[in-house]
Amino acid sequence: MLSLFDMSDVNSQISNPTLAVFAKGGVWPHRLAVVLGCATFPLLFIGGLVTSKGAGLAVPDWPTTFGHNMFLYPWSEMVGNILYEHSHRLVAACVGLLTTALAVALWFGERRTWLRWLGVTALLVVIAQGILGGLRVVLLQNTLAILHACLAQAFFALTVGLALLLRVNGRANRLKRRSWIADDFLGWERSPPRSFIFRSFLAPCYGTPAKDWTLICSLPD
């Protein structure tokens, strides 16, 4: 059972240059990225539903909805195609807020410059996406609708990429914590007088052969 406390494999993974790149930052950006990706997927579905139902122009104004603030539009009036179009706007606004939160979390909590700017890129893309959707309503241009649909899928791919990159980051942090725990344990077992406790009670749990007891008892204090 000595291998249970042998963290050499963990330390080797931390020292691996490929994994060491992701050994910075916290877990919250990853969680935000996962929530953002999960919110963006149904937004794509609702956007396709708006197109298939021909509800893209059910609400003729933007950024308001029939003169109302988008978030204050009465739920009782969300019927027919208005329901599809206005729901699309509300979910898109939530995705925009989540993207803003992720960009802020990366900017202030991530040390890697390229990942911080990737968060800023995601924010710029979602802003451009919202403007394209609004201009589609105001200018009545089908070309803008095509660009809006293509950019939506590119943004979803970007959110998935961020979630995957930050997931590797979280795994590296967990490996780091396990390495620290192992270092603390090894320091505990070698410190007097607790080394006596280790030799007398914990060492047998390792399944050490009898011929190695001399080595165990000669561990340095």
Side-chain angles (χ1 to χ4, degrees):
M1 295 181 62
L2 182 57
S3 58
L4 293 177
F5 296 92
D6 184 6
M7 302 300 293
S8 59
D9 56 334
V10 175
N11 291 328
S12 64
Q13 292 182 62
I14 293 297
S15 60
N16 189 318
T18 304
L19 188 58
V21 178
F22 302 97
K24 300 176 182 179
V27 296
W28 280 107
H30 169 244
R31 294 173 181 174
L32 280 173
V34 170
V35 173
L36 176 59
C38 292
T40 303
F41 182 75
L43 179 59
L44 294 177
F45 174 80
I46 297 173
L49 193 61
V50 168
T51 301
S52 64
K53 294 291 185 179
L57 299 177
V59 180
D61 53 337
W62 179 83
T64 56
T65 301
F66 293 106
H68 292 81
N69 182 292
M70 181 176 64
F71 299 102
L72 300 178
Y73 186 72
W75 288 90
S76 59
E77 298 183 17
M78 291 176 57
V79 294
N81 285 345
I82 297 176
L83 173 64
Y84 299 124
E85 171 61 17
H86 190 64
S87 297
H88 182 61
R89 294 187 180 189
L90 292 178
V91 176
C94 292
V95 169
L97 292 175
L98 286 171
T99 308
T100 302
L102 177 60
V104 171
L106 287 174
W107 190 262
F108 291 102
E110 178 58 54
R111 298 180 183 179
R112 289 165 288 174
T113 304
W114 65 275
L115 254 181
R116 291 188 354 228
W117 283 107
L118 198 59
V120 172
T121 301
L123 179 59
L124 294 177
V125 170
V126 80
I127 291 174
Q129 178 72 342
I131 293 175
L132 278 176
L135 292 179
R136 165 68 178 93
V137 173
V138 175
L139 301 180
L140 305 177
Q141 294 290 328
N142 290 331
T143 303
L144 294 176
I146 296 173
L147 292 175
H148 182 68
C150 293
L151 191 59
Q153 299 176 58
F155 175 75
F156 177 66
L158 179 58
T159 61
V160 172
L162 279 169
L164 289 175
L165 289 170
L166 293 169
R167 177 178 180 270
V168 176
N169 175 43
R171 289 180 62 189
N173 284 335
R174 287 194 294 273
L175 289 173
K176 259 189 171 182
R177 286 194 293 271
R178 292 174 188 172
S179 178
W180 292 336
I181 292 172
D183 289 342
D184 290 342
F185 178 79
L186 291 176
W188 182 89
E189 70 178 24
R190 291 170 181 165
S191 62
R194 286 169 292 191
S195 60
F196 173 77
I197 300 175
F198 169 76
R199 295 169 183 172
S200 302
F201 300 102
L202 297 182
C205 296
Y206 288 122
T208 305
K211 63 180 181 179
D212 293 335
W213 271 104
T214 304
L215 179 60
I216 290 290
C217 295
S218 62
L219 286 175
D221 292 333

